[in-house]
Amino acid sequence: MIDKIIGSLEQAVADIHDGATVMIGGFGNAGMPAALIDALIAQGARDLTIVNNNAGNGDTGLAALLKARRVKKIICSFPRQTDSYVFDALYRAGEIELELTPQGNLAERIRAAGAGIGGFFSPTGYGTMLAEGKETRLIDGRHYVLESPIHADFALIKALRGDRWGNLVYRKTARNFGPIMAMAAKCAIAQVSEVVELGGLDPENIITPGIFVQRVVLQKAQETRP
């Protein structure tokens, strides 16, 4: 019997190893799997490469992971905002490496990994520092930059509901990077607010099929952030 439900957050992240590449869903706080991140901090893995849209907000979630000095490199599209002071301090001190990727390229690089695509040409970034060291090509009169897929060992994502097969539905825009990150990682771990019985999810509303999800963990009420 297929049952991907994991009993606790701690069990869900127990095998994330030092030096792993970890994708973390979320657009700012929307769709960020805060409970899984807290469990990862407690677990203790270090020298992580994190793939996320931004570089953390305030002192919680991804910012707390950075503050704990667990991240050696971050790949993101939007590292600086008014409350990204944890990342700012680490970057200015030379304690974290940044790979800046335009948001569309970031999404497509993640999607390419999940789709088995070896690379793609994008016009975004041509003629800028972001294209340095990369192959460029003129296609139909327009310049393009060759971008590589981003693969990950683990993906931590947040969904609204899931079943024991790993099928997921999201709450509106909180889905953001979750579906493509699940496809691009060797092990996708989904934090959900509700676990339903098989058949409890309308097949037409399932965004991430269970084939792309290895673990589902229920976020209990006391673990829910405001």
Side-chain angles (χ1 to χ4, degrees):
M1 183 180 72
I2 298 174
D3 190 352
K4 299 178 180 179
I5 306 300
I6 304 298
S8 69
L9 293 160
E10 293 75 19
Q11 289 177 299
V13 302
D15 60 346
I16 297 181
H17 54 84
D18 291 353
T21 296
V22 182
M23 292 180 174
I24 297 179
F27 193 95
N29 289 324
M32 182 178 67
L36 280 173
I37 296 173
D38 288 346
L40 179 57
I41 295 171
Q43 187 256 32
R46 297 180 175 276
D47 297 323
L48 302 172
T49 294
I50 298 297
V51 183
N52 186 259
N53 183 61
N54 68 324
N57 308 82
D59 294 293
T60 60
L62 177 56
L65 186 65
L66 299 180
K67 191 173 183 179
R69 302 295 201 280
R70 303 292 174 74
V71 180
K72 70 174 182 179
K73 178 180 179 179
I74 187 163
I75 303 173
C76 70
S77 70
F78 191 62
R80 299 197 66 220
Q81 54 199 59
T82 55
D83 60 351
S84 62
Y85 45 81
V86 173
F87 168 80
D88 282 2
L90 292 171
Y91 186 73
R92 292 177 187 277
E95 296 181 16
I96 191 170
E97 180 182 348
L98 169 66
E99 181 179 333
L100 187 64
T101 303
Q103 190 173 94
N105 284 1
L106 177 67
E108 186 64 5
R109 289 178 68 189
I110 296 169
R111 192 197 70 82
I117 296 171
F120 62 93
F121 283 96
S122 170
T124 307
Y126 178 82
T128 73
M129 293 176 63
L130 297 179
E132 291 181 359
K134 298 179 180 179
E135 179 184 343
T136 60
R137 187 173 297 185
L138 183 65
I139 303 174
D140 292 333
R142 191 175 188 185
H143 292 282
Y144 291 79
V145 181
L146 180 62
E147 296 289 347
S148 59
I150 302 175
H151 298 270
D153 300 300
F154 298 89
L156 307 183
I157 61 177
K158 181 179 180 179
L160 180 62
R161 298 183 184 90
D163 61 27
R164 66 176 175 84
W165 281 1
N167 298 308
L168 304 176
V169 297
Y170 301 84
R171 185 179 185 275
K172 301 180 179 181
T173 58
R175 80 168 67 173
N176 48 73
F177 290 87
I180 56 173
M181 286 183 170
M183 295 174 64
K186 295 176 183 176
C187 178
I189 307 170
Q191 164 192 321
V192 300
S193 298
E194 181 183 1
V195 173
V196 302
E197 295 295 326
L198 290 180
L201 300 177
D202 182 348
E204 296 296 327
N205 292 332
I206 292 172
I207 304 300
T208 299
I211 192 172
F212 298 117
V213 178
Q214 283 67 50
R215 301 171 192 167
V216 175
V217 60
L218 178 64
Q219 178 185 9
K220 299 180 176 62
Q222 63 267 30
E223 297 161 341
T224 305
R225 294 184 180 278

